[in-house]
Amino acid sequence: MDATAYGRLFDLSGRRALVTGGQRGLGRAIATALACHGAEVWICCEDARDCTAAAEALRVQGLNVHAIACDVADRAALSAMVERVMAAGPLDILVCNAGVAPHAGAITTASDADWQATMTINLQSVLWLAGMVLPGMAGTGGGSMMIMSSIAGLRGNRALGLYGLSKAANAQLARNLAVEWGPSNIRVNAISPGFIRTDLSRDLLDNPDFMQRRMAMTPLRRPGEPAEVAGVAVMLASAAGAFITGQNIVVDGGTLITDGN
């Protein structure tokens, strides 16, 4: 590989990406980073107004971003959304970021409705999307799929057990899909963020007792930033990550490896 090729390792020019849950938080950061590196990006979420506003804010910055509203828990709506996005051309990058955590507390106290919502949005929709997108991706030479997991899926959790269960399944789904689609030059990986500074974590960021405990468990002694997760997504989407598949990449400042001191 010559110097010019090394310079293009993270170049996504000419690539087309779909990011679910792309209107805010980590999804928006990933959509922004992909677009900054040259990709044409579609972001989707259930609320059309939020989705449109997010895309317009990114377009003002000169980024090639489009909005499309979709409830990922609705298979028919998901299929229609994918058909519309792919009508303009095949997808090269798929980021399954949409997720919910409707139940907090002991996992045995989760209602059937909590289970259904969590598993449908966090897991079933990802499998649906894989079935809708990956065949077309294979037909054009391959691509990259990323599934947002979490460190909650890698350890026990008193408060988010049901969410963690779905995220553990996400990581296993990435491994299975990587094996199935690897011969078609499709790479599938999971990303497991730790405690990241987003709007959803604002209450915890403002809680001194929580922050003292959590930062003591984190070797880098700080929360992560959305851009630090987005950077991993860019790597996995680009030539820089072309030999990485079936992995669950942890982005947590070392929380999982610490002894708590």
Side-chain angles (χ1 to χ4, degrees), residues 10 12 19 22 24-37 39 41 58 63 93 95 97 144 146 148 191-194 196-198 224-238 240 249-252:
F10 295 92
L12 298 174
V19 181
R24 65 182 180 186
L26 292 181
R28 183 162 176 168
I30 291 170
T32 302
L34 294 175
C36 283
H37 283 267
V41 181
L58 294 175
L63 301 178
I93 302 161
V95 182
N97 171 73
S144 175
M146 286 161 267
M148 294 305 295
I191 302 175
S192 284
I196 309 296
R197 192 190 305 274
T198 65
E225 301 296 335
E228 293 169 326
V229 178
V232 174
V234 171
M235 183 268 290
L236 291 174
S238 68
I249 299 180
V250 177
V251 189
D252 72 343

Short mmCIF file of all heavy atoms in Angstrom, two decimals, residues 10 12 19 22 24-37 39 41 58 63 93 95 97 144 146 148 191-194 196-198 224-238 240 249-252:
data_model
loop_
_atom_site.label_atom_id
_atom_site.label_comp_id
_atom_site.label_asym_id
_atom_site.label_seq_id
_atom_site.Cartn_x
_atom_site.Cartn_y
_atom_site.Cartn_z
N PHE A 10 -9.59 6.33 5.82
CA PHE A 10 -10.85 6.69 6.48
C PHE A 10 -11.80 7.42 5.54
O PHE A 10 -12.80 7.97 5.98
CB PHE A 10 -10.57 7.53 7.72
CG PHE A 10 -9.81 6.78 8.78
CD1 PHE A 10 -8.43 6.83 8.84
CD2 PHE A 10 -10.48 6.01 9.72
CE1 PHE A 10 -7.72 6.12 9.81
CE2 PHE A 10 -9.78 5.30 10.69
CZ PHE A 10 -8.40 5.35 10.74
N LEU A 12 -14.70 7.98 3.07
CA LEU A 12 -15.99 7.34 2.78
C LEU A 12 -16.69 7.97 1.58
O LEU A 12 -17.90 7.81 1.42
CB LEU A 12 -16.89 7.40 4.02
CG LEU A 12 -16.38 6.67 5.26
CD1 LEU A 12 -17.29 6.92 6.45
CD2 LEU A 12 -16.27 5.17 4.99
N VAL A 19 -28.44 5.33 9.28
CA VAL A 19 -28.23 5.29 10.73
C VAL A 19 -29.59 5.39 11.42
O VAL A 19 -30.28 6.41 11.31
CB VAL A 19 -27.33 6.45 11.21
CG1 VAL A 19 -27.11 6.37 12.72
CG2 VAL A 19 -25.99 6.45 10.47
N GLY A 22 -30.78 8.22 14.48
CA GLY A 22 -29.70 9.15 14.14
C GLY A 22 -29.98 10.60 14.43
O GLY A 22 -29.20 11.46 14.06
N ARG A 24 -30.24 12.09 17.44
CA ARG A 24 -29.65 12.66 18.66
C ARG A 24 -28.59 11.70 19.22
O ARG A 24 -28.45 10.57 18.75
CB ARG A 24 -30.72 12.90 19.72
CG ARG A 24 -31.37 11.62 20.22
CD ARG A 24 -32.46 11.89 21.24
NE ARG A 24 -33.06 10.65 21.71
CZ ARG A 24 -34.12 10.58 22.51
NH1 ARG A 24 -34.70 11.70 22.92
NH2 ARG A 24 -34.60 9.41 22.89
N GLY A 25 -27.88 12.17 20.21
CA GLY A 25 -26.94 11.33 20.97
C GLY A 25 -25.90 10.67 20.10
O GLY A 25 -25.33 11.26 19.17
N LEU A 26 -25.65 9.40 20.40
CA LEU A 26 -24.61 8.66 19.68
C LEU A 26 -24.96 8.48 18.21
O LEU A 26 -24.08 8.51 17.34
CB LEU A 26 -24.40 7.30 20.34
CG LEU A 26 -23.78 7.33 21.74
CD1 LEU A 26 -23.59 5.91 22.27
CD2 LEU A 26 -22.45 8.08 21.74
N GLY A 27 -26.24 8.29 17.90
CA GLY A 27 -26.64 8.12 16.52
C GLY A 27 -26.32 9.36 15.69
O GLY A 27 -25.81 9.27 14.57
N ARG A 28 -26.62 10.51 16.25
CA ARG A 28 -26.32 11.77 15.53
C ARG A 28 -24.82 11.97 15.39
O ARG A 28 -24.34 12.43 14.35
CB ARG A 28 -26.96 12.95 16.26
CG ARG A 28 -26.75 14.28 15.55
CD ARG A 28 -27.72 15.31 16.05
NE ARG A 28 -27.50 16.61 15.47
CZ ARG A 28 -28.35 17.62 15.58
NH1 ARG A 28 -29.49 17.44 16.26
NH2 ARG A 28 -28.10 18.79 15.04
N ALA A 29 -24.07 11.64 16.44
CA ALA A 29 -22.61 11.77 16.36
C ALA A 29 -22.05 10.86 15.26
O ALA A 29 -21.16 11.27 14.49
CB ALA A 29 -21.98 11.43 17.71
N ILE A 30 -22.55 9.65 15.18
CA ILE A 30 -22.08 8.71 14.15
C ILE A 30 -22.46 9.21 12.76
O ILE A 30 -21.64 9.19 11.83
CB ILE A 30 -22.63 7.30 14.42
CG1 ILE A 30 -21.97 6.71 15.68
CG2 ILE A 30 -22.41 6.39 13.21
CD1 ILE A 30 -22.61 5.43 16.16
N ALA A 31 -23.70 9.66 12.61
CA ALA A 31 -24.13 10.19 11.31
C ALA A 31 -23.27 11.37 10.89
O ALA A 31 -22.86 11.48 9.73
CB ALA A 31 -25.60 10.60 11.38
N THR A 32 -22.97 12.24 11.84
CA THR A 32 -22.13 13.42 11.55
C THR A 32 -20.74 13.00 11.12
O THR A 32 -20.20 13.51 10.13
CB THR A 32 -22.04 14.32 12.80
OG1 THR A 32 -23.36 14.71 13.21
CG2 THR A 32 -21.21 15.56 12.50
N ALA A 33 -20.15 12.07 11.85
CA ALA A 33 -18.79 11.63 11.53
C ALA A 33 -18.72 10.94 10.17
O ALA A 33 -17.79 11.17 9.39
CB ALA A 33 -18.27 10.69 12.63
N LEU A 34 -19.69 10.09 9.88
CA LEU A 34 -19.71 9.42 8.58
C LEU A 34 -19.81 10.44 7.45
O LEU A 34 -19.10 10.34 6.43
CB LEU A 34 -20.88 8.44 8.50
CG LEU A 34 -20.83 7.22 9.44
CD1 LEU A 34 -22.13 6.42 9.32
CD2 LEU A 34 -19.63 6.33 9.16
N ALA A 35 -20.68 11.43 7.63
CA ALA A 35 -20.86 12.46 6.61
C ALA A 35 -19.60 13.32 6.48
O ALA A 35 -19.22 13.71 5.37
CB ALA A 35 -22.07 13.31 6.93
N CYS A 36 -18.95 13.62 7.59
CA CYS A 36 -17.72 14.42 7.55
C CYS A 36 -16.62 13.72 6.76
O CYS A 36 -15.74 14.38 6.19
CB CYS A 36 -17.24 14.72 8.97
SG CYS A 36 -18.16 16.03 9.81
N HIS A 37 -16.67 12.40 6.73
CA HIS A 37 -15.67 11.65 6.00
C HIS A 37 -16.12 11.31 4.58
O HIS A 37 -15.49 10.49 3.91
CB HIS A 37 -15.29 10.38 6.77
CG HIS A 37 -14.38 10.67 7.93
ND1 HIS A 37 -13.02 10.60 7.84
CD2 HIS A 37 -14.66 11.08 9.19
CE1 HIS A 37 -12.47 10.93 8.99
NE2 HIS A 37 -13.44 11.22 9.84
N ALA A 39 -19.41 10.36 3.38
CA ALA A 39 -20.57 9.51 3.08
C ALA A 39 -21.85 10.34 2.91
O ALA A 39 -22.00 11.41 3.51
CB ALA A 39 -20.77 8.49 4.19
N VAL A 41 -25.53 10.27 4.01
CA VAL A 41 -26.10 9.61 5.19
C VAL A 41 -27.61 9.87 5.28
O VAL A 41 -28.07 11.01 5.13
CB VAL A 41 -25.42 10.11 6.48
CG1 VAL A 41 -26.02 9.41 7.70
CG2 VAL A 41 -23.91 9.88 6.41
N LEU A 58 -27.46 19.46 10.13
CA LEU A 58 -26.22 18.92 9.59
C LEU A 58 -25.98 19.42 8.16
O LEU A 58 -24.83 19.67 7.76
CB LEU A 58 -26.23 17.40 9.64
CG LEU A 58 -26.24 16.80 11.06
CD1 LEU A 58 -26.38 15.29 10.99
CD2 LEU A 58 -24.97 17.19 11.81
N LEU A 63 -22.98 19.09 5.18
CA LEU A 63 -22.95 17.63 5.14
C LEU A 63 -24.12 17.08 4.34
O LEU A 63 -25.22 17.65 4.34
CB LEU A 63 -22.97 17.07 6.56
CG LEU A 63 -21.81 17.54 7.46
CD1 LEU A 63 -21.95 16.97 8.85
CD2 LEU A 63 -20.46 17.17 6.86
N ILE A 93 -23.22 1.14 4.12
CA ILE A 93 -23.01 1.20 5.57
C ILE A 93 -24.37 1.19 6.25
O ILE A 93 -25.26 1.97 5.90
CB ILE A 93 -22.26 2.48 5.96
CG1 ILE A 93 -20.91 2.58 5.24
CG2 ILE A 93 -22.07 2.56 7.48
CD1 ILE A 93 -20.32 3.98 5.20
N VAL A 95 -25.94 1.30 10.19
CA VAL A 95 -25.68 1.45 11.63
C VAL A 95 -27.01 1.31 12.36
O VAL A 95 -27.90 2.16 12.22
CB VAL A 95 -25.05 2.81 11.96
CG1 VAL A 95 -24.76 2.91 13.46
CG2 VAL A 95 -23.77 3.03 11.16
N ASN A 97 -28.63 1.75 15.51
CA ASN A 97 -28.41 2.45 16.77
C ASN A 97 -29.67 2.63 17.59
O ASN A 97 -29.59 2.83 18.81
CB ASN A 97 -27.77 3.81 16.47
CG ASN A 97 -27.71 4.71 17.68
OD1 ASN A 97 -26.90 4.51 18.58
ND2 ASN A 97 -28.58 5.71 17.73
N SER A 144 -20.38 -2.61 5.28
CA SER A 144 -20.17 -2.70 6.72
C SER A 144 -21.47 -2.45 7.47
O SER A 144 -22.19 -1.49 7.19
CB SER A 144 -19.13 -1.66 7.16
OG SER A 144 -18.98 -1.64 8.57
N MET A 146 -22.97 -2.12 11.46
CA MET A 146 -22.62 -1.95 12.87
C MET A 146 -23.86 -2.00 13.73
O MET A 146 -24.89 -1.42 13.38
CB MET A 146 -21.90 -0.61 13.08
CG MET A 146 -20.48 -0.58 12.58
SD MET A 146 -19.91 1.12 12.34
CE MET A 146 -20.29 1.38 10.61
N MET A 148 -25.20 -1.27 17.60
CA MET A 148 -24.83 -0.63 18.86
C MET A 148 -25.24 -1.54 20.01
O MET A 148 -26.41 -1.77 20.27
CB MET A 148 -25.50 0.72 18.99
CG MET A 148 -25.01 1.74 17.97
SD MET A 148 -23.21 1.98 17.99
CE MET A 148 -23.00 2.69 19.61
N ILE A 191 -20.57 -2.36 18.62
CA ILE A 191 -19.85 -1.35 19.39
C ILE A 191 -20.52 -1.26 20.75
O ILE A 191 -21.75 -1.11 20.84
CB ILE A 191 -19.87 0.02 18.71
CG1 ILE A 191 -19.26 -0.05 17.31
CG2 ILE A 191 -19.13 1.06 19.56
CD1 ILE A 191 -19.37 1.24 16.53
N SER A 192 -19.73 -1.37 21.82
CA SER A 192 -20.28 -1.32 23.18
C SER A 192 -19.75 -0.11 23.93
O SER A 192 -18.66 -0.15 24.51
CB SER A 192 -19.93 -2.60 23.94
OG SER A 192 -20.72 -3.68 23.53
N PRO A 193 -20.51 0.99 23.93
CA PRO A 193 -20.08 2.16 24.68
C PRO A 193 -20.24 1.95 26.18
O PRO A 193 -21.09 1.19 26.64
CB PRO A 193 -21.02 3.27 24.19
CG PRO A 193 -21.64 2.74 22.95
CD PRO A 193 -21.72 1.26 23.14
N GLY A 194 -19.42 2.67 26.94
CA GLY A 194 -19.60 2.76 28.38
C GLY A 194 -20.40 4.01 28.70
O GLY A 194 -21.37 4.34 28.00
N ILE A 196 -21.13 7.60 28.42
CA ILE A 196 -20.82 8.63 27.43
C ILE A 196 -21.62 9.90 27.75
O ILE A 196 -22.77 9.84 28.17
CB ILE A 196 -21.16 8.15 26.00
CG1 ILE A 196 -20.52 6.77 25.73
CG2 ILE A 196 -20.70 9.18 24.97
CD1 ILE A 196 -19.02 6.74 25.74
N ARG A 197 -21.01 11.04 27.50
CA ARG A 197 -21.64 12.33 27.77
C ARG A 197 -22.68 12.65 26.68
O ARG A 197 -22.35 13.20 25.63
CB ARG A 197 -20.58 13.43 27.82
CG ARG A 197 -21.09 14.77 28.38
CD ARG A 197 -20.07 15.88 28.19
NE ARG A 197 -18.78 15.53 28.74
CZ ARG A 197 -18.43 15.72 30.02
NH1 ARG A 197 -19.30 16.27 30.85
NH2 ARG A 197 -17.22 15.37 30.44
N THR A 198 -23.92 12.29 26.92
CA THR A 198 -25.02 12.61 26.01
C THR A 198 -26.16 13.24 26.80
O THR A 198 -26.14 13.27 28.04
CB THR A 198 -25.54 11.34 25.31
OG1 THR A 198 -26.13 10.47 26.29
CG2 THR A 198 -24.43 10.61 24.57
N GLY A 224 -16.91 9.30 28.48
CA GLY A 224 -16.56 9.36 27.07
C GLY A 224 -17.34 10.45 26.36
O GLY A 224 -18.36 10.94 26.85
N GLU A 225 -16.86 10.82 25.19
CA GLU A 225 -17.53 11.81 24.36
C GLU A 225 -18.15 11.11 23.14
O GLU A 225 -17.59 10.12 22.64
CB GLU A 225 -16.55 12.88 23.89
CG GLU A 225 -15.87 13.65 25.02
CD GLU A 225 -16.85 14.46 25.86
OE1 GLU A 225 -17.94 14.81 25.34
OE2 GLU A 225 -16.52 14.74 27.03
N PRO A 226 -19.29 11.60 22.65
CA PRO A 226 -19.92 10.96 21.49
C PRO A 226 -18.98 10.80 20.30
O PRO A 226 -19.02 9.79 19.61
CB PRO A 226 -21.08 11.91 21.17
CG PRO A 226 -21.44 12.51 22.50
CD PRO A 226 -20.13 12.68 23.22
N ALA A 227 -18.12 11.78 20.08
CA ALA A 227 -17.19 11.70 18.95
C ALA A 227 -16.24 10.52 19.08
O ALA A 227 -15.76 9.99 18.07
CB ALA A 227 -16.40 13.00 18.83
N GLU A 228 -15.98 10.08 20.32
CA GLU A 228 -15.04 8.97 20.51
C GLU A 228 -15.69 7.64 20.15
O GLU A 228 -14.99 6.68 19.80
CB GLU A 228 -14.54 8.99 21.95
CG GLU A 228 -13.68 10.21 22.23
CD GLU A 228 -13.36 10.44 23.68
OE1 GLU A 228 -14.21 10.13 24.56
OE2 GLU A 228 -12.26 10.94 23.95
N VAL A 229 -16.99 7.56 20.22
CA VAL A 229 -17.71 6.39 19.73
C VAL A 229 -17.87 6.49 18.21
O VAL A 229 -17.69 5.51 17.48
CB VAL A 229 -19.09 6.28 20.41
CG1 VAL A 229 -19.86 5.08 19.85
CG2 VAL A 229 -18.95 6.16 21.92
N ALA A 230 -18.16 7.71 17.74
CA ALA A 230 -18.33 7.91 16.30
C ALA A 230 -17.06 7.60 15.54
O ALA A 230 -17.11 7.09 14.41
CB ALA A 230 -18.76 9.36 16.04
N GLY A 231 -15.91 7.88 16.14
CA GLY A 231 -14.64 7.58 15.48
C GLY A 231 -14.46 6.10 15.23
O GLY A 231 -13.91 5.69 14.19
N VAL A 232 -14.92 5.28 16.17
CA VAL A 232 -14.86 3.83 15.98
C VAL A 232 -15.76 3.41 14.82
O VAL A 232 -15.40 2.56 14.00
CB VAL A 232 -15.26 3.10 17.27
CG1 VAL A 232 -15.34 1.60 17.05
CG2 VAL A 232 -14.26 3.41 18.38
N ALA A 233 -16.92 4.04 14.73
CA ALA A 233 -17.84 3.72 13.62
C ALA A 233 -17.22 4.06 12.27
O ALA A 233 -17.35 3.30 11.31
CB ALA A 233 -19.16 4.45 13.81
N VAL A 234 -16.55 5.20 12.19
CA VAL A 234 -15.89 5.58 10.94
C VAL A 234 -14.83 4.55 10.58
O VAL A 234 -14.72 4.13 9.42
CB VAL A 234 -15.27 6.99 11.05
CG1 VAL A 234 -14.39 7.28 9.84
CG2 VAL A 234 -16.36 8.05 11.18
N MET A 235 -14.05 4.14 11.56
CA MET A 235 -13.02 3.14 11.31
C MET A 235 -13.64 1.84 10.78
O MET A 235 -13.17 1.27 9.79
CB MET A 235 -12.23 2.87 12.58
CG MET A 235 -11.08 1.89 12.45
SD MET A 235 -11.57 0.19 12.82
CE MET A 235 -11.85 0.28 14.59
N LEU A 236 -14.72 1.38 11.41
CA LEU A 236 -15.34 0.13 10.99
C LEU A 236 -16.01 0.24 9.62
O LEU A 236 -16.14 -0.75 8.91
CB LEU A 236 -16.37 -0.31 12.03
CG LEU A 236 -15.80 -0.76 13.38
CD1 LEU A 236 -16.92 -1.02 14.37
CD2 LEU A 236 -14.94 -2.00 13.22
N ALA A 237 -16.44 1.45 9.25
CA ALA A 237 -17.09 1.65 7.97
C ALA A 237 -16.10 1.77 6.82
O ALA A 237 -16.47 1.57 5.66
CB ALA A 237 -17.97 2.90 8.02
N SER A 238 -14.86 2.10 7.12
CA SER A 238 -13.88 2.47 6.11
C SER A 238 -12.86 1.37 5.83
O SER A 238 -12.87 0.31 6.46
CB SER A 238 -13.15 3.73 6.56
OG SER A 238 -12.34 3.44 7.70
N ALA A 240 -9.97 1.39 6.78
CA ALA A 240 -9.16 1.19 7.98
C ALA A 240 -9.62 -0.03 8.78
O ALA A 240 -8.84 -0.63 9.51
CB ALA A 240 -9.20 2.44 8.86
N ILE A 249 -16.53 -4.16 19.92
CA ILE A 249 -15.51 -3.19 20.31
C ILE A 249 -16.02 -2.33 21.45
O ILE A 249 -17.01 -1.61 21.32
CB ILE A 249 -15.09 -2.34 19.11
CG1 ILE A 249 -14.49 -3.25 18.02
CG2 ILE A 249 -14.09 -1.27 19.53
CD1 ILE A 249 -14.04 -2.54 16.79
N VAL A 250 -15.33 -2.42 22.58
CA VAL A 250 -15.73 -1.71 23.79
C VAL A 250 -15.09 -0.33 23.82
O VAL A 250 -13.88 -0.19 23.63
CB VAL A 250 -15.33 -2.51 25.04
CG1 VAL A 250 -15.68 -1.74 26.31
CG2 VAL A 250 -16.01 -3.88 25.04
N VAL A 251 -15.92 0.69 24.06
CA VAL A 251 -15.45 2.08 24.12
C VAL A 251 -15.90 2.63 25.46
O VAL A 251 -16.94 3.29 25.57
CB VAL A 251 -16.04 2.91 22.95
CG1 VAL A 251 -15.38 4.29 22.90
CG2 VAL A 251 -15.86 2.19 21.62
N ASP A 252 -15.11 2.36 26.52
CA ASP A 252 -15.60 2.66 27.87
C ASP A 252 -14.55 3.27 28.80
O ASP A 252 -14.76 3.33 30.01
CB ASP A 252 -16.16 1.40 28.52
CG ASP A 252 -15.08 0.40 28.90
OD1 ASP A 252 -13.94 0.52 28.38
OD2 ASP A 252 -15.36 -0.51 29.71
#
